[in-house]
Every structure is written in C-alpha cells, then in structure tokens.
Amino acid sequence: MTTNWQERVSLKPYNTFGIDVRARYFAQAHDDDEVRQALAEAGARQLPVLVIGGGSNLLLTGDIDALVLHMASRGRRLLCDEGERVVVEAEAGEPWHPFVQWSLEQGLCGLENLSLIPGTVGAAPMQNVGAYGVEIKDVFAGLTALDRQTGELRDFSLEECDFGYRDSLFKRKPGRWLILRVRFVLGRSLNAHLDYGPVRQRLAEQGVETVTAKAISAAICSIRREKLPDPAELGNAGSFFKNPVVTGALAERIRAQYPNVVAYPQADGQVKLAAGWLIEQAGWKGHREGDAGVHRLQSLVLVNYGQASGAQLHALAQRIQADIFERFGVTLEMEPNLY
Ligand code: FAD
Ligand code: NAP
C-alpha cells in the first residue's frame, strides 16, 4: 500500500456538515504526481475513488467504501499581465476564500462578490459557484483536468465547461474529470455588481464613499457572517436546495395565492423562485428533528446540531421536497453532492 494511504479514517473533519462516517482508505494529493499515483494504485486494486476538496458541498449518508482522495495541492500565480486584463491560476487544493483575498491584494477585481464561499478552487467549477449576482463563469479563463478514464490532461475553455445555474459539465459527469488547476481573467478596473440583495445598502451603512473591490468583499463578508451559520460552529453545507426555475404560468399561479412570493423573472421567460421563501412559507424555518434541522435564520440551509447522520438529513430534505411539491407544485433539487 502507498505510504500515505490511511485506513478507516473518520471523515468528520473533512465535511462541513460534520458527519461522522468513515472512508475505507484516505489519502492526500499535494501535486499532479500524487494524484496520478493514487488513481493508479486505486485502479490496480479496483477501488472506486471519491475526490474531495473542502467537503462543503457534500452529504455523506454512510461509510465510503472507496479511496477518498483529498486535494491538498497549493499554489497561485499571475499567468499573464496585460495591464488591464490579468490571468491568474490556482491549484485545485487552494482554499477558495484566501484565494479571493489574495486576488484583491494584487489589486485585481472580479472575484469580490464570491467572497467567503467555503471550499477549494478545484471544486468551484463543479457547480459554477455563484453569489450576489456573480458566478465563476463570468471571470473564468480555463482549467486543466485529468481525464480519469484515459489518464490524459485536458485544458477546458469557458464554452467547453458548459456552465449553467449551479451546474457544469463536470457536475453532470461525476467521477470523469479531476480538476487540477483553474484560471480566471480579472481586471484592474472595477465593474461593480451591487444590485443583488442588500449589498448596496450594506456599503452605505458602512460609510463607504468610494466603492472598491475590497469594500464590496468586506460588505459581502459582513452580510454572510450575519446570515449564514459558520460550519465551524454549526454543521451545514450552505444552501441545501437550488432555487427552482419554473414556467411563468406556474409562477403566476403561485403569485395568485401568495402575492408576496419572492420571484425573479429570467431572460427566457421562466421565473426563479427563492427556495428559502417557499420553505419558510411552508413552516419549516427553525424546524428540528433530533439533531437534523432547518436553520432558524435561513431556511435554505439544513443544519447538523451535533450527531445527525447524513441519512437523517437526507430524510428531512425529502420530507421538505415532498411538502413543497404538494403545496406549490414546485420540485426542489438538492444542491450538495450525495454519497
Ligand atoms: P467538496 O464539497 O469537497 O466537493 C464537492 C463536489 O466536487 C464533490 O462531488 C467532489 O467529488 C467534487 N470535487 C471536489 N474537488 C474536485 C476536483 N479537484 N476535481 C473534480 N471534482 C472535485 N456555493 C455557492 O455556489 N455559492 C455560495 O455562496 C456558497 N456558500 C456556501 C456557504 C456555506 C456556509 C457553505 C457550507 C457552503 C456554501 N456553498 C456555496 C457550497 C460550497 O461551498 C461550494 O459548492 C464549494 O465550491 C464546494 O467546494 P469544496 O472544495 O468544499 O467541494
Ligand atoms: P438572499 O439575498 O436572501 O436572496 C434569496 C434568493 O433570491 C437568493 O438565493 C438569490 O438567488 C435570489 N436573488 C436575490 N436577489 C436577486 C436578484 N437581484 N436577482 C435575481 N435573484 C436574486 O440570498 P442568501 O441566501 O442570503 O444568499 C446570498 C447569495 O449567496 C445568493 O446569491 C446565494 O446563491 C449565495 N449563497 C449560496 C449558497 C450555496 O450554498 N449555494 C449559500 C449561501 C449563499 P441565487 O441563489 O440564484 O443567487
């Protein structure tokens, strides 16, 4: 067995829900060679491999009978500096928020609205992470991934990633591509996105007169700290359901019954509904079953008060899905990856 493989490792420190399941084998990959070695050895032993980063978008429902490969590669760099347009690259295992902070320290703009998202750079393209009106696809320059079927490296352009709302080619083909490093195209001038949620208001409250990327980042960090539970204190995986995008006709039917429904018309005529509003309206906010619950401030977030199992959280999620469908005719899709 490769020396850095461990057996029967608790994954509790490796998932932000804090669920205590075990990996049959566990290893860390610090560079491409260690990734290749781990995959080759797992292949030789016919063991499945589950790649993880920060574990902030996982729901683990039982022991993992596989090699769990934790991406621990580090490194971030300016690849190309044309003055106004700068391409930066980071290794998959780089923690996301410190990478955003580093880009801001370089005087670069573009990632500020994506501040304080947990997890790693390598996982960010999986669901095209997004917040406060920006998604990584808006600043994406490319990525390098290892094809786990052929062992070949491949560079992906923006178009090839086929990003959608909390979605990508990689999410739709789980287990095929292992993302090694990601590139972003950032600017030296700010193209501020302030019209989402309370961002503009928070900047005003903070007395910001000249809006900079750093000021936006600080405002968003302060909003997020107020609203979202810190996984270090209360286990969670962020939004548990995607905001459903429904037909205009269904949105109208819901509005006729619930005039306050929170709904955002999309360019294609469909309407995005705030899943958190639907769940709150249905009375689930703050609901608790044993140690599994719905957060008391943000109903889109399921929480683990301590000893909840992944199966308990999943069962609670399924009850919420069934109730929302019955009340509103809306299907809620889970956001975290279920294993
Ligand atoms: P993990 O949970 O470790 O993995 C997620 C998936 O990606 C798994 O399927 C895993 O197999 C796969 N994967 C991981 N690394 C790689 C790799 N290198 N190559 C191939 N596959 C890989 N998300 C948002 O979009 N916006 C938000 O604002 C946001 N806020 C959050 C707030 C909180 C408090 C929490 C807990 C979560 C939030 N999330 C948000 C969800 C989550 O942080 C992101 O989806 C993040 O990108 C997940 O990164 P990770 O490294 O933790 O991935
Ligand atoms: P919020 O501001 O209370 O808004 C509720 C929902 O309405 C959001 O989910 C957002 O959808 C949508 N929304 C708000 N303003 C909008 C606008 N101007 N145009 C279109 N849609 C709008 O949301 P929140 O829960 O506090 O989260 C704030 C941001 O952080 C959101 O972008 C959210 O997605 C992101 N976030 C994501 C996670 C995660 O795990 N995925 C966790 C925490 C926060 P969108 O979600 O589509 O943006």
Side-chain angles (χ1 to χ4, degrees):
M1 195 195 299
T2 309
T3 45
N4 76 351
W5 284 31
Q6 296 167 267
E7 265 184 84
R8 302 262 317 139
V9 170
S10 167
L11 293 176
K12 190 169 177 175
Y14 296 101
N15 73 98
T16 59
F17 258 127
I19 291 167
D20 196 7
V21 295
R22 278 172 195 277
R24 181 166 166 203
Y25 296 106
F26 179 87
Q28 313 235 22
H30 298 88
D31 55 34
D32 293 10
D33 286 345
E34 288 187 2
V35 167
R36 284 184 182 281
Q37 269 173 27
L39 294 183
E41 183 159 347
R45 299 161 59 127
Q46 297 189 323
L47 263 180
V49 178
L50 170 59
V51 177
I52 62 166
S56 62
N57 211 10
L58 302 179
L59 180 61
L60 303 174
T61 54
D63 288 345
I64 306 291
D65 188 17
L67 167 68
V68 172
L69 185 62
H70 179 235
M71 293 303 291
S73 49
R74 292 286 190 278
R76 50 203 186 189
R77 54 197 78 90
L78 298 190
L79 272 192
C80 155
D81 188 343
E82 293 170 359
E84 189 44 49
R85 182 183 171 279
V86 179
V87 179
V88 300
E89 179 180 72
E91 298 297 317
E94 278 286 337
W96 175 262
H97 179 64
F99 167 64
V100 171
Q101 296 301 111
W102 170 83
S103 74
L104 296 172
E105 286 306 321
Q106 311 302 307
L108 300 174
C109 310
L111 294 174
E112 55 279 357
N113 287 45
L114 302 174
S115 296
L116 218 60
I117 297 179
T120 54
V121 167
M126 289 297 292
Q127 68 161 18
N128 175 30
V129 291
Y132 297 98
V134 174
E135 298 175 330
I136 63 159
K137 75 168 172 46
D138 303 326
V139 285
F140 183 82
L143 64 76
T144 303
L146 181 70
D147 185 342
R148 288 175 52 184
Q149 279 178 10
T150 65
E152 283 168 12
L153 288 187
R154 176 165 157 198
D155 284 346
F156 285 80
S157 67
L158 173 64
E159 292 70 29
E160 287 167 333
C161 295
D162 200 15
F163 289 125
Y165 174 59
R166 305 286 186 268
D167 194 30
S168 72
L169 166 85
F170 311 104
K171 182 141 186 178
R172 291 193 294 273
K173 291 209 184 294
R176 169 82 191 264
W177 301 100
L178 195 157
I179 297 168
L180 293 170
R181 53 195 69 87
V182 189
R183 294 172 284 283
F184 300 92
V185 56
L186 305 178
R188 292 205 197 272
S189 316
L190 179 63
N191 175 17
H193 298 272
L194 306 177
D195 294 326
Y196 214 84
V199 180
R200 195 183 291 279
Q201 188 190 331
R202 181 55 52 96
L203 284 162
E205 285 163 5
Q206 292 179 334
V208 172
E209 283 172 9
T210 310
V211 175
T212 61
K214 281 187 182 178
I216 295 174
S217 171
I220 285 176
C221 288
S222 83
I223 298 168
R224 293 184 69 110
R225 286 198 180 99
E226 266 172 25
K227 258 186 122 168
L228 289 167
D230 177 354
E233 289 161 16
L234 185 60
N236 75 91
S239 305
F240 199 88
F241 301 103
K242 293 184 192 178
N243 289 312
V245 180
V246 303
T247 61
L250 177 54
E252 273 319 304
R253 282 205 299 279
I254 296 172
R255 191 185 296 285
Q257 207 179 340
Y258 303 92
N260 297 333
V261 63
V262 179
Y264 298 93
Q266 306 294 289
D268 61 3
Q270 299 200 92
V271 177
K272 185 175 74 181
L273 302 176
W277 185 90
L278 298 173
I279 296 168
E280 182 175 348
Q281 191 66 31
W284 291 95
K285 194 175 191 174
H287 175 86
R288 181 169 174 173
E289 294 173 6
D291 274 355
V294 179
H295 191 245
R296 62 187 178 82
L297 296 178
Q298 170 50 289
S299 11
L300 203 45
V301 177
L302 298 196
V303 293
N304 175 9
Y305 286 100
Q307 304 299 321
S309 68
Q312 284 168 329
L313 285 156
H314 192 212
L316 172 60
Q318 287 174 314
R319 275 195 289 284
I320 294 171
Q321 283 170 316
D323 187 35
I324 297 304
F325 186 75
E326 197 172 309
R327 284 173 195 262
F328 302 103
V330 172
T331 303
L332 288 185
E333 200 184 321
M334 249 181 79
E335 188 177 293
N337 301 275
L338 186 75
Y339 295 102

